[in-house]
Structure formats: structure tokens, C-alpha cells
Amino acid sequence: MLEEAGEVLENMLKASCLPLGFIVFLPAVLLLVAPPLPAADAAHEFTVYRMQQYDLQGQPYVLLHTATANGFQMVTSGVQSKAVSDWLITSVEGRLTGLGGEDLPTIVIVAHYDAFGVAPWLSHGADSNGSGISVLLELARLFSRLYTYKRTHAAYNLLFFASGGGKFNYQGTKRWLEDNLDHTDSSLLQDNVAFVLCLDTVGRGDSLHLHVSKPPREGTLQHAFLRELEMVAAHQFPELRFSMVHKKVNLAEDILAWEHERFAIRRLPAFTLSHLESHRDGQRSSIMDVRSRVDSKTLTRNTRLIAEALTRVIYNLTEKGTPADMPVFTEQMIQQEQLDSVMDWLTTQPRAAQLVHKDGTLLSTLEHYLGRYLKEVKQHHIKADKRDPEFVFYDQLKQVMNAYRVKPAIFDLLLAVCIGAYLGMAYTAVQHFDLLYRTVQRLLLKAKTQ
């Protein structure tokens, strides 16, 4: 009977050798034949893990959930981007010369035309700052008519400046100021500058804010302009909330808050008109700033407000007894269709500074438009200083990004531990089976000898 039992056990052990070996070596074979992860031969790659949230109370498997979280490896294909050293930032200026003596005060109207966003080719910048450029062009058209006739030709020089590089810390304005104040003997900016009005994001909302670095002193022309803005807003546009926002220039910061700060640093009286109360508002650098976000009626209303206040200051209408509720410009004179067409034109193309070429249609059209109403219209070009560049543009703006589903590194470690434990248990089982087999053989041998 013992002999029969031994034979049965021996046959069972021999028959179990194949599945036991199959179980032991199957994980190793699967790891060897498994397809490798995609090769990362691209310029950049990074991994994003989608983590699920678990309640730590009564959850002993939080580490396991963390290790098995889904992740995605983002890989961009293509060559490494290279810096472009000869790219130019272009601005356009034009003027209306006042009637009278040579030393006339100058009012400067400024708006930057470029846009900014995380994707340059999607940066259309409707409100920031297509609305500012639209108002600047409409003001140039209106005052060119007034300056055409001698009886309405004011004793003020008007200087219009469509600046480039506004989203790059107003580099176009900075270099323009340096060239006009430091490197030339004849410039309107070196003469009697009354004030500088910067236009930025004026196409939405029911409020307008005049951002200043230093509150204007009473008796100055900039204080008179502030007073006219308040009076016109209160009497002609009661639905509009107007206020002044005071913020000092912080020279310790690398990025200036508003464009008027470039003029304030050079001790020129300046302020920025915007419907945004804070310069940190994300609308100023969003790819979602598209044409539909600009309200045509609001843009027309703000244009009328600015034109009315400027006219009352230039022609001193308040001192002459003109009532504040008497409009100088009718609704028909402020052409909403003209503003809409300019906005449509500006927002049909991306206006990121690294996409606007000096010989492109945007600048040539802008120069042609200003040339219809202003005198001495010309372009102003700057490029980054090779010794101390303040802005750098790159040649690769579009790259294909592939997403690969991956697991975190701790998952590989956990998997290795599990495989090791599995192989260890299999090895222990084999050892136990071998020991049992030898023990049974000895017992059978001993039984035969007896």
C-alpha cells in the first residue's frame, strides 16, 4: 500500500513540474516581450498625473491608490527652438500740429497694438488692446477734422503713438522715449508736454478707471482733464461709474503695471484709462479675449466720453461757460460702424509681438490709416540689445504635442516588489515540494528494506 501511495505521489510531482515552471517563468517572459515605452526623442517632455482624492480615515490603501494613479506624459516633437536676434518691434507715430506759436503744449495719446497669450497664434487681443487702438484711430479722425479749419484749430499739438511691444514691458514706448528725449535735439516730447493719455482695455464694462502714478495737482492741465472726465461721465453718461486709481511706480518690479508708468519714470505727466481696476486682471493676457467680448455700444460710449473730455480741455469750454451736459460730438459723429470695422480687422489676425513683422500687412495698414488723418506719420523700429537683451523671441512657435498614458515611478517599484514576492513564494513552494519528495522517497526506501 505504501508503494502504491509513493508511486501516485511521484507521478503527481512529475506532472506538476510543467505548470509550476510555467507559473514561475511566465512573468519574466511577459516583461521581456512587453512593448517598451515610446522613445522620448523630442525637445521637451513632462508628465502630469491625475490624482484621485481619498478620505484618509479608514483608508489603509492610500499608498496603493497613489501608486496606481493614471498619468500622461506630454512629449513635444520637433527641433529645439532658437532665439531670433534680429527681430524688430515696430511702433507707428503721427501728429497734428497746433495753431499759434512754436512752444505749444503737447497732448500725447498712446495705445499698444500687440496682444499676448499662452499660444501666440491664438492671441487676438480684442479688448487688450484692440479696443485702445480703435479709440486712438477714431480720436485721430475726429480731431483731424477739427484741426482742418482755422476757427477750430486749437493751440495744442496732438501726438498719436501706436506702440509695439506693449506686452513685453512696453519696450516700444521705452525706446521711443529714449530716442526722443536722449538722442535728438528736436522733439515734441522735449517741449511742453501737457499730459500723456494711455488707452488700455476700454471695450467692456460699466466703469472706467483713470490709473495714475501721482495724483494731478490742482491747476494743472492733467487735473483739468480729470475734472472734465468726471463731469462728462456724471452729466452725459450717468450709467457709467468713473473713478481714479492711484498706484505708485514700483521700480523694484521687473514688469510695469501700466503703460503710463514708462512716461512717469521720465517725469512726464501721464495716466492710463481702462475699465479694469487692477493691472493684475487675467483678461489682459488671455487667448479668450476675442471679438465677441468687446461690446460695440460700450466702446462707442467710451470713445465719446474721451473725445468730449479732451475737447473741453483743449478748447477750454468749461471756463467759457459751456454746460457739462451739452455734447460737443453727436452720436452720428462718433461712427460706431467705423469702430466695429477696425475691431473686426484687428481681431482677424493674431497680434503677438513675435508674429508682427515690420513689413506685414498689420503695420502697413495701421500706418496707412493714420496717414489719412495725421501728418508726419512714420514707423519706429527697435530690436533687442545683444549685450543686455530685455526681450527674446524664438523661431519655433508651433510644435506637435503627444500624450502617452503612463504610471508613476512608485508603480514600477511596487510592481517589482510584487514580482519579487511572487517569485520568492514560487521558489519556496518548489523547495518544499522537493523536500517532501525526498522525504517520501526515503520513507519508501526504508519500507522496502524492512
Side-chain angles (χ1 to χ4, degrees):
M1 185 174 183
L2 286 175
E3 293 179 0
E4 295 178 357
E7 291 178 359
V8 172
L9 181 59
E10 185 177 0
N11 294 332
M12 183 179 65
L13 290 175
K14 290 180 179 180
S16 64
C17 290
L18 181 60
L20 185 59
F22 180 77
I23 294 173
V24 171
F25 294 104
L26 179 61
V29 174
L30 290 177
L31 289 176
L32 290 176
V33 301
L37 288 176
D41 56 352
H44 306 283
E45 63 178 48
F46 59 94
T47 305
V48 179
Y49 292 106
R50 184 177 60 194
M51 305 299 295
Q52 297 181 359
Q53 307 219 348
Y54 298 94
D55 186 8
L56 296 181
Q57 296 181 356
Q59 289 284 351
Y61 305 109
V62 175
L63 180 61
L64 179 61
H65 290 306
T66 303
T68 57
N70 293 324
F72 297 92
Q73 186 179 44
M74 309 300 182
V75 181
T76 58
S77 60
V79 297
Q80 182 73 27
S81 299
K82 296 181 181 179
V84 180
S85 59
D86 58 347
W87 192 265
L88 296 178
I89 288 181
T90 305
S91 304
V92 184
E93 65 173 294
R95 66 185 64 186
L96 292 173
T97 306
L99 181 65
E102 296 181 355
D103 189 18
L104 295 177
T106 300
I107 295 177
V108 187
I109 303 174
V110 182
H112 65 272
Y113 63 80
D114 58 318
F116 183 80
V118 65
W121 57 93
L122 296 178
S123 303
H124 296 275
D127 194 14
S128 177
N129 190 32
S131 62
I133 287 292
S134 300
V135 175
L136 181 142
L137 296 179
E138 183 66 7
L139 292 177
R141 185 187 69 83
L142 291 173
F143 283 96
S144 67
R145 287 191 170 188
L146 294 177
Y147 275 52
T148 301
Y149 306 101
K150 186 175 181 179
R151 58 189 181 90
T152 57
H153 201 152
Y156 284 89
N157 296 320
L158 296 182
L159 183 59
F160 295 84
F161 183 59
S163 62
K167 301 301 184 180
F168 286 85
N169 208 17
Y170 310 105
Q171 290 299 317
T173 302
K174 178 185 178 182
R175 299 287 185 87
W176 183 63
L177 286 172
E178 291 174 353
D179 291 345
N180 281 275
L181 297 180
D182 302 334
H183 304 146
T184 184
D185 297 331
S186 177
S187 171
L188 289 180
L189 294 179
Q190 289 183 335
D191 301 329
N192 182 17
V193 176
F195 61 83
V196 180
L197 173 62
C198 300
L199 306 173
D200 192 341
T201 57
V202 291
R204 297 179 60 197
D206 294 327
S207 61
L208 274 180
H209 306 282
L210 192 70
H211 298 269
V212 299
S213 301
K214 184 179 180 181
R217 292 183 293 105
E218 190 171 354
T220 60
L221 197 66
Q222 55 266 31
H223 183 269
F225 179 66
L226 172 61
R227 184 185 59 187
E228 295 293 350
L229 282 174
E230 294 174 340
M231 291 176 55
V232 173
H235 290 84
Q236 299 187 27
F237 308 99
E239 76 282 359
L240 178 66
R241 300 187 302 273
F242 177 80
S243 65
M244 183 184 72
V245 179
H246 176 215
K247 177 190 173 299
K248 294 183 178 180
V249 180
N250 188 358
L251 297 178
E253 293 183 356
D254 295 332
I255 305 297
L256 297 180
W258 300 99
E259 192 163 11
H260 74 268
E261 295 184 355
R262 281 293 178 201
F263 296 90
I265 292 175
R266 302 304 298 261
R267 299 187 181 278
L268 295 176
F271 25 68
T272 296
L273 197 61
S274 172
H275 71 78
L276 300 178
E277 190 172 0
S278 172
H279 66 281
R280 302 184 185 278
D281 197 300
Q283 300 178 40
R284 302 180 68 195
S285 57
S286 173
I287 61 174
M288 304 304 295
D289 185 11
V290 293
R291 176 66 179 91
S292 59
R293 296 181 65 87
V294 175
D295 182 68
S296 299
K297 293 183 178 180
T298 300
L299 185 63
T300 305
R301 180 202 63 194
N302 293 340
T303 304
R304 285 188 60 194
L305 170 67
I306 298 170
E308 291 281 346
L310 275 175
T311 305
R312 296 181 68 88
V313 166
I314 292 175
Y315 295 96
N316 199 18
L317 297 183
T318 299
E319 299 297 329
K320 294 179 180 180
T322 304
D325 56 352
M326 178 181 294
V328 178
F329 299 98
T330 62
E331 295 183 2
Q332 291 73 21
M333 297 180 68
I334 308 294
Q335 299 180 359
Q336 181 174 334
E337 295 80 7
Q338 184 83 359
L339 290 168
D340 289 339
S341 62
V342 173
M343 282 297 307
D344 294 339
W345 164 65
L346 288 172
T347 54
T348 53
Q349 54 195 318
R351 299 195 317 281
Q354 57 267 53
L355 296 177
V356 180
H357 195 271
K358 66 181 183 67
D359 297 325
T361 58
L362 175 65
L363 291 173
S364 60
T365 305
L366 185 60
E367 182 180 13
H368 174 74
Y369 193 100
L370 288 174
R372 295 172 56 186
Y373 308 112
L374 307 180
K375 304 296 183 182
E376 300 181 38
V377 176
K378 59 183 179 180
Q379 294 187 3
H380 183 267
H381 306 285
I382 66 167
K383 65 179 179 179
D385 190 349
K386 295 182 179 179
R387 296 169 297 178
D388 186 21
E390 295 183 85
F391 58 92
V392 179
F393 295 143
Y394 293 87
D395 56 356
Q396 296 291 334
L397 296 179
K398 285 186 178 182
Q399 288 187 346
V400 178
M401 177 177 288
N402 299 315
Y404 299 102
R405 190 171 183 176
V406 296
K407 293 291 185 181
I410 192 174
F411 176 79
D412 297 334
L413 178 61
L414 182 61
L415 182 61
V417 171
C418 293
I419 293 176
Y422 175 81
L423 293 177
M425 290 187 296
Y427 177 77
T428 304
V430 170
Q431 292 295 325
H432 280 76
F433 272 105
D434 183 66
L435 179 61
L436 179 61
Y437 177 72
R438 292 179 183 275
T439 302
V440 172
Q441 279 189 333
R442 285 198 300 268
L443 290 174
L444 291 175
L445 183 61
K446 185 177 180 180
K448 287 181 180 181
T449 56
Q450 292 179 355

